[in-house]
């Protein structure tokens, strides 16, 4: 399938479906027409077409109802590619359509109070009970859990083997008895994140993704896609946070200094390198699943966002943020908010989706081929690890 054929298909779709009508019905029809993720298989929101043709679809449908990226980010960027890679046909058909349309919001139950950077040490247990699993544990830093209908969950099913080998991956029903969501207040005053307590939560075995004990391999697919989703999203030249900084620069020439100008030029070059590297990475994605290179994109994204928002604060000479009221965050709108919010919120960019320190380890070992750090607990059964 080529660009001309995609455009013809989009035109035919618009001829049958009015974008000014019911938003949800339009999105459902778009999914059914294979114009959600064109590289997905037919019947699952796609056409089995080359991934790069998605850009054509997005341009042609730019003025029609769009997805809520702030609410759907985890479902779209992490859950969907994992379900596609490891889900059964029944799971794909059950979850992908309402995930894409936004009828069902997803969150991620990975990190724990004692298992953040070293996720494989997680302690949340899932014990088999007939055709069900009983889950007990605590998760933390769960974005959007207060909105979520489903979650992607990694739990320990075998404490007798080394930490990476005793994990299993599940889809967790966030409405199931025993799931408790508590807000975590951030530096902005909002509660975008949550801690989630799981007490005797029963999940049927048909909510398992992948084989029992293969959870770490499944989770790697999620994590690689997560880092690409965070750091490798397409942006226009001078877009993203850079656009906000440039707007301030143009509007207030009296505040410019030579030093700030030099720093802005340096960050412009870095932003362009990051943007073009992201385009290259997305081309590589067309040939298969994302690899460790996505960690480099996410690392660069975090550093660049923090540097740009810090520069804008120095330039404006004020934080410009005065609403510290505790409130639930309805969605993450990084670019649609003021400079003070961006500056504070960017502090989390080097933590979420993998800390910058851990990403540097991944890049050094799996991209550059440097010697691995000593790992004395690699072959030790999880139950024997000091905690």
């Amino acid at each position: 399938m080529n660009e001309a054929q995609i455009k013809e298909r989009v035109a035919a779709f618009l001829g049958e479906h009015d974008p000014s009508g019911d938003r949800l019905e339009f999105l459902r029809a778009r999914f059914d027409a294979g114009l959600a993720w064109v590289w997905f298989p037919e019947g699952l929101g796609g056409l089995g077409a080359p991934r790069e043709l998605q850009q054509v679809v997005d341009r042609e449908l730019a003025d029609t109802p769009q997805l809520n990226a702030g609410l759907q980010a985890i479902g779209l960027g992490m859950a969907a590619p994992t379900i596609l890679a490891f889900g059964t046909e029944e799971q794909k058909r059950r979850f992908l359509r309402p995930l894409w349309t936004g009828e069902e919001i997803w969150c991620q139950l990975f990190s724990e109070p004692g298992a953040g950077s070293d996720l494989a040490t997680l302690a949340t247990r899932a014990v088999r009970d007939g055709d069900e699993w009983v889950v007990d544990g605590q998760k933390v830093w769960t974005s959007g859990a207060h909105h979520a209908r489903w979650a992607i969950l990694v739990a320990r099913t075998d404490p007798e083997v080394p930490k990476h080998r005793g994990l299993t991956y599940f889809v967790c029903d966030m409405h199931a008895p025993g799931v408790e969501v508590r807000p975590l207040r951030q530096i902005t005053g909002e509660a975008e994140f949550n801690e989630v307590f799981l007490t005797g939560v029963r999940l049927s075995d048909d909510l398992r993704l992948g084989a029992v004990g293969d959870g770490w391999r499944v989770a790697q697919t999620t994590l690689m896609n997560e880092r690409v989703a965070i750091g490798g999203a397409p942006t226009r030249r001078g877009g993203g946070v850079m656009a906000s900084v440039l707007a301030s620069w143009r509007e207030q020439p009296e505040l410019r200094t030579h030093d700030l100008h030099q720093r802005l030029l340096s960050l412009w070059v870095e932003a362009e390198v990051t943007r073009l590297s992201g385009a290259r990475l997305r081309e590589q994605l067309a040939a298969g699943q994302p690899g460790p290179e996505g960690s480099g994109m996410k690392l660069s994204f975090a550093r660049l966002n923090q540097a740009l928002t810090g520069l804008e604060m120095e330039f404006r000479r004020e934080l410009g943020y005065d609403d510290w009221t505790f409130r639930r965050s309805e969605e993450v709108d990084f670019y649609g908010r003021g400079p003070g919010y961006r500056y504070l919120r960017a502090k989390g960019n080097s933590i979420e989706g993998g800390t910058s320190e851990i990403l540097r380890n991944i890049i050094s070992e799996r991209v550059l081929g440097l010697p691995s750090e000593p790992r004395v607990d690699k072959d030790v059964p999880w139950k024997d690890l000091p905690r």
Side-chain angles (χ1 to χ4, degrees):
M1 183 169 289
N2 56 36
E3 182 172 340
Q5 291 172 317
I6 283 286
K7 287 184 175 180
E8 289 177 7
R9 190 175 284 260
V10 172
F13 170 74
L14 289 174
E16 297 176 4
H17 302 280
D18 182 5
S20 64
D22 184 83
R23 176 182 180 276
L24 180 56
E25 289 305 316
F26 182 85
L27 291 175
R28 286 172 174 170
R30 179 176 167 180
F31 182 93
D32 294 340
L35 299 174
W37 301 289
V38 296
W39 68 98
F40 274 41
E42 292 189 29
L44 297 176
L47 299 169
R51 188 179 184 126
E52 59 266 24
L53 291 178
Q54 184 66 41
Q55 299 177 39
V56 179
V57 173
D58 292 342
R59 285 197 303 268
E60 295 294 307
L61 295 176
D63 296 325
T64 66
Q66 300 296 308
L67 309 182
N68 187 327
L71 278 176
Q72 294 172 249
I74 292 174
L76 296 170
M78 301 163 218
T82 307
I83 293 169
L84 181 67
F86 292 95
T88 63
E89 287 303 312
E90 182 180 353
Q91 288 170 332
K92 294 173 189 176
R93 297 190 181 280
R94 164 61 186 88
F95 293 122
L96 290 177
R97 188 176 189 251
L99 179 158
W100 190 84
T101 61
E103 294 170 80
E104 295 179 343
I105 303 301
W106 288 67
C107 66
Q108 181 182 16
L109 298 177
F110 276 33
S111 295
E112 298 182 6
S117 295
D118 189 3
L119 178 63
T121 60
L122 64 86
T124 294
R125 288 292 308 276
V127 178
R128 190 81 181 245
D129 183 17
D131 292 331
E132 294 183 319
W133 295 84
V134 182
V135 183
D136 291 276
Q138 179 186 355
K139 299 291 183 175
V140 75
W141 311 127
T142 307
S143 300
H146 51 300
H147 297 301
R149 174 64 181 84
W150 299 100
I152 44 179
L153 163 71
V154 183
R156 187 163 304 283
T157 50
D158 187 354
E160 304 290 332
V161 297
K163 58 184 182 181
H164 292 90
R165 302 211 309 262
L167 304 173
T168 303
Y169 197 113
F170 299 92
V171 171
C172 179
D173 182 355
M174 292 297 289
H175 292 175
V179 177
E180 180 186 0
V181 177
R182 299 180 188 173
L184 288 175
R185 185 173 184 176
Q186 297 157 236
I187 193 173
T188 61
E190 296 179 336
E192 172 192 325
F193 300 120
N194 303 272
E195 53 184 346
V196 178
F197 294 84
L198 305 164
T199 307
V201 177
R202 288 187 168 270
L203 303 176
S204 60
D205 190 54
D206 60 9
L207 291 176
R208 173 171 48 84
L209 278 181
V212 175
D214 200 27
W216 185 252
R217 185 167 71 96
V218 182
Q220 287 304 298
T221 296
T222 303
L223 294 172
M224 293 300 105
N225 278 283
E226 177 182 26
R227 287 155 194 169
V228 172
I230 293 175
T235 57
R236 60 179 174 84
R237 187 181 186 192
V241 177
M242 177 60 75
S244 302
V245 177
L246 292 176
S248 294
W249 185 265
R250 290 167 181 142
E251 292 165 3
Q252 298 174 286
E254 72 279 4
L255 298 180
R256 299 174 189 171
T257 68
H258 175 73
D259 176 64
L260 289 173
H261 188 210
Q262 294 302 305
R263 287 167 59 189
L264 178 59
L265 290 175
S266 177
L267 289 171
W268 170 272
V269 172
E270 185 173 343
E272 274 297 282
V273 170
T274 300
R275 183 180 71 85
L276 295 172
S277 297
R280 181 182 179 187
L281 178 62
R282 288 189 296 277
E283 289 178 359
Q284 292 175 338
L285 284 178
Q289 291 294 323
E293 296 84 2
S295 297
M297 289 302 306
K298 196 273 173 180
L299 178 66
S300 179
F301 165 85
R303 202 204 77 79
L304 188 59
N305 268 8
Q306 291 173 352
L308 282 169
T309 55
L311 177 67
E312 186 175 17
M313 285 297 95
E314 286 188 54
F315 175 70
R316 297 171 63 96
R317 303 175 190 178
E318 63 166 342
L319 183 61
Y321 189 85
D322 56 4
D323 185 5
W324 307 96
T325 308
F326 174 72
R327 59 199 180 280
R328 273 300 202 181
S329 175
E330 291 303 310
E331 59 181 298
V332 182
D333 185 12
F334 196 83
Y335 302 120
R337 302 283 289 275
Y341 172 83
R342 284 192 293 274
Y343 174 74
L344 295 171
R345 181 60 182 81
K347 299 304 178 186
N349 291 162
S350 52
I351 302 173
E352 57 198 348
T355 65
S356 292
E357 293 77 11
I358 292 300
L359 296 183
R360 289 188 180 96
N361 278 355
I362 293 172
I363 293 165
S364 65
E365 296 176 13
R366 299 179 59 188
V367 178
L368 302 178
L370 298 178
S372 301
E373 286 189 335
R375 292 180 172 85
V376 297
D377 62 352
K378 186 176 180 181
D379 299 316
V380 178
W382 178 84
K383 65 180 180 61
D384 295 330
L385 295 178
R387 279 181 292 281

